[in-house]
Amino acid sequence: MLENLFTNIAGLLRNLLDSAGVPPLWNDVTLLVVKLVAILVFILINALWLVLMERKVAGYMQARIGPNRVGPWGLLQTTCDIGKLISKEIPIPKSADKILFLLAPALVFVPPLMIFAAIPFGKDMVALDLNIGLFYVFALASLTTIIFWMGGWGSNNKYSLLGSMRVVAQMVSYELPMILSVLGVIMLVGSMNLTEIIAAQQNMWFIVTQPIAFLIFFIAAVAECNRTPFDLVEGESEIINGPYTEYGGMGFAMFFLAEYASIMIISAMATTIFLGGWLAPFGLTFIPSWLWFFLKMYVLIFVVMWFRWTFPRIRVDQLMGFGWKILVPLSLANVFVTGIGMYIYRAIGW
Amino acid sequence: MLRTETYTMNFGPQHPATHGVFQVVLTLDGEKIVKAEPVCGYLHRGIEKLAESRTYQQVIPYTDRMDYLASMLQNWGYVMAVEKLMGLEVPERAEYLRVISGELSRLASHVLATGVYALDVGGFTGFLLCFRERERMMDLLEELTGSRMTFSYARFGGVADDAPEGWLEKLDKLMDDMPGYIDEYDGLITGNEIFQARTKQVGGLSPETAIDYSLSGPVLRGSGINYDLRKAKPYSIYDRFDFEVPVGKNGDCFDRYFCRVREMRQSVRIIKQAIEQIKEIDGPIKGKVPKALKPPKGDAYAEIESSKGILGFYVVSDGTNKPHRVHVRRPSFINLGYLDEMSRGWLIADLVAILGSIDIVLGEVDC
Amino acid sequence: MEKKISEIISELKEKFPQIKTSEETISVSTEDLLGLMQELKNSFGFNYLTNLTAADYPADAKGKGDGNEDEDDGEMEIVYNLTSVYEKLYLTVKARVSRKNPEIPSVFPVWGGANWQEREVYDLFGIVFTDHPNLKRILLTDNFEGYPLRKDYQWVGGRK
């Protein structure tokens, strides 16, 4: 029953609209809007909860407790923080490009939302089942670069500018190994449809057949969402807060929450591509598929947080060197080896 | 060919990595530093001038406010200079208490420096981990002096008060735990691959330059010069303890940092020995000193090894109860003098690593 | 150690007959200063300038009667604490300048460490170190008036 909880709700809604005499086209549109709104609410609430989770994880790793005053176990802490930030003024620097400056935080949630529309959360639980899903996801993920650049440029601050230069450099050089690493998986599946990729992992997760690809993907993905050890974009001990230096109030909060949304995205993508998505391991199907998806996603999110509270920050030139000299050749080699493996596989005729 | 231009950037005075109110005016080529001009003085309170209108005793609390992370050593340096001027004898037990409290203060300062360095390089956990132990040291120092930071513990010819009942046992316990804690720092910070990539071969300093520019403390020893006043010119009772002076090899940021970590182990050794030896010694903690202090005319210069380097006090007396002139040779200030040459050609991120490895306290730089 | 310092001082006395010496202190005139310092560094291994500071001795409040009372405005004394890091030797060099025209050659060519220390002395005492590469105020603001560590500096506020 739990397994089909969300699909049943969707079905119910569809029947309800049908019986009310709504034409099929409008029916579809309404349903899609409902799904997208549900995803938006999910992302926002999840981002809030992730901020708390991060603070708790950090607390326990640093021999302290973390927030525990607001609500039980500090559960309402971030809610209150956001409440405070909403009520604050958004200061706009005099020399800033006002349009860009204000547009950037407003747009920063668009790419995550659009990406999540294509990710299958559970069995038959995908808002948009695209046959070029993977391509779509990567295309949108790199869109964030422009938004950070907008914010950094619009602030008219040298620190912001340096930060946004770093964003662009970092994202361009890590996009490449990320996509190349996934190429191996695409070759194995023969499709870019996310649902089909998950279906191909019925017997064996791709993390087993493509371990190098998973490592490259995960490292590049952590770099993509600007998290430690690749958090040079913010690098608070060097360039203060990078592109967000001039932002205050809700403008800052949007960027802040967007960071958690992007952690969710990379974890969700890694889950989908390498960890079998919503597929239950070891035949443990009594746990609903969407719960499996979240479980795997949260394990990865925890790993990302673990990174942050363990590692120092890498330097700009080291980051570039690592991306171009190690990750890119390695992912190319992975594609090559996968190709040979597939050829041998076929030649043997298994 | 593209035409490029250098630009200036104000690194501070409000910046999270300058360890206080300190400014570096950077001339940058992209992210590469062409010139770094340090601008200090934002915290200048004129302590040297203030001292001239205070009595000798009243100057002691001012020394606390200089290097507020190791104020015990600052008190010690000042009273040593005045004792030298007056030819005062210090009782043995007081010397031991000075060594114990001074080394504890050095330990607290080094623990903080280690943690802050981890933060400068981007590892937040190392920072807070170090505060865990610092808290225990601060509690002990508070029990001894009644204050957490501004101790004013040293007095002319002795110390303010004897250690309270059971204090030495508690300190002994902490010193037993300390090597384990330092191993933890080594595991989390020193051994980290990224940390080493960030600090090794960065901001190199040759031994000749280090001596030429009067650098001192871990900055000098990190370049391979074995010069620690506790060994080179044993003041107080440092000749009674068995300890080593850690020196680095390459003079890079990592060596300077690692010197500090190894010095912590030596401080623990000294305190352990001092606790053993002080048990045998019973006696006054304050020598015979007149209430109205009027040193004879003349001047004296005394220096000790503070946690940041050589801390010297130059005191001139004109025969009245107020010093004619007090000058402090502040290690942080002089170590900072070479920052420009040291950071040229490195990136902004390296500037933070270099500045952190010098370990400055702005209260001391600006005096 | 004590012996060695005295040996060095007597050797110096031969080379620079004008200097006045005591146990570990050498008093030198501003003309001889640079030559003496070069000699100390190159021949005797005093490679480390530990401390450089100054003290103000106006005419009415002479710190030390030096027998040099003909200047009516008094003098300022610059104190150099030198160390030989390898030999572990310590030496103090003192030089006096008149308060009216406080000028002394910079020892920056001898020890780089003099850079900031001389700037500090210039900032607080107004002693001009000739040939210093960058003699600017260091602790006080550039437009600050007066030299606060001089005894005649009028101090507004604070405890009397």
Side-chain angles (χ1 to χ4, degrees), chain A residues 10 19 69-70 107 118 182 233 239 254 283 285 300 302 310 317:
Chain A
S19 57
R69 294 283 131 174
V70 190
L107 288 180
V182 178
V233 171
I239 52 170
M254 290 300 270
T285 41
L300 287 180
F302 174 75
T310 312
D317 54 331

Side-chain angles (χ1 to χ4, degrees), chain A residues 122-295:
Chain A
K123 204 174 178 185
D124 304 327
M125 272 173 63
V126 50
L128 294 166
D129 196 9
L130 296 167
N131 58 354
I132 50 156
L134 215 52
F135 184 72
Y136 169 83
V137 164
F138 282 124
L140 281 170
S142 45
L143 209 65
T144 342
T145 319
I146 299 172
I147 293 160
F148 283 139
W149 171 255
M150 270 165 69
W153 179 260
S155 304
N156 201 355
N157 175 316
K158 283 170 188 166
Y159 287 108
S160 303
L161 186 64
L162 274 177
S164 39
M165 296 287 277
R166 284 181 177 187
V167 174
V168 176
Q170 185 172 335
M171 292 222 176
V172 166
S173 36
Y174 276 75
E175 205 92 297
L176 208 60
M178 191 158 137
I179 293 170
L180 284 174
S181 66
V182 178
L183 221 52
V185 173
I186 297 174
M187 283 159 72
L188 289 177
V189 182
S191 165
M192 286 208 271
N193 186 318
L194 289 171
T195 317
E196 277 179 37
I197 288 175
I198 292 175
Q201 300 178 68
Q202 192 66 54
N203 299 320
M204 181 79 84
W205 291 0
F206 283 135
I207 190 174
V208 184
T209 43
Q210 294 271 318
I212 306 285
F214 174 73
L215 270 179
I216 297 169
F217 179 84
F218 198 62
I219 291 170
V222 170
E224 277 276 299
C225 60
N226 306 323
R227 292 283 296 191
T228 322
F230 308 105
D231 64 337
L232 322 132
V233 171
E234 288 173 49
E236 70 274 355
S237 64
E238 298 153 26
I239 52 170
I240 303 178
N241 218 349
Y244 338 130
T245 306
E246 295 286 356
Y247 283 96
M250 205 52 205
F252 167 75
M254 290 300 270
F255 280 118
F256 189 63
L257 291 177
E259 183 184 321
Y260 290 93
S262 51
I263 297 173
M264 268 158 63
I265 286 170
I266 61 141
S267 303
M269 276 165 67
T271 309
T272 311
I273 302 170
F274 292 101
L275 295 180
W278 44 263
L279 292 173
F282 315 117
L284 296 170
T285 41
F286 64 92
I287 299 171
S289 60
W290 48 273
L291 207 58
W292 268 118
F293 181 84
F294 289 127
L295 257 163

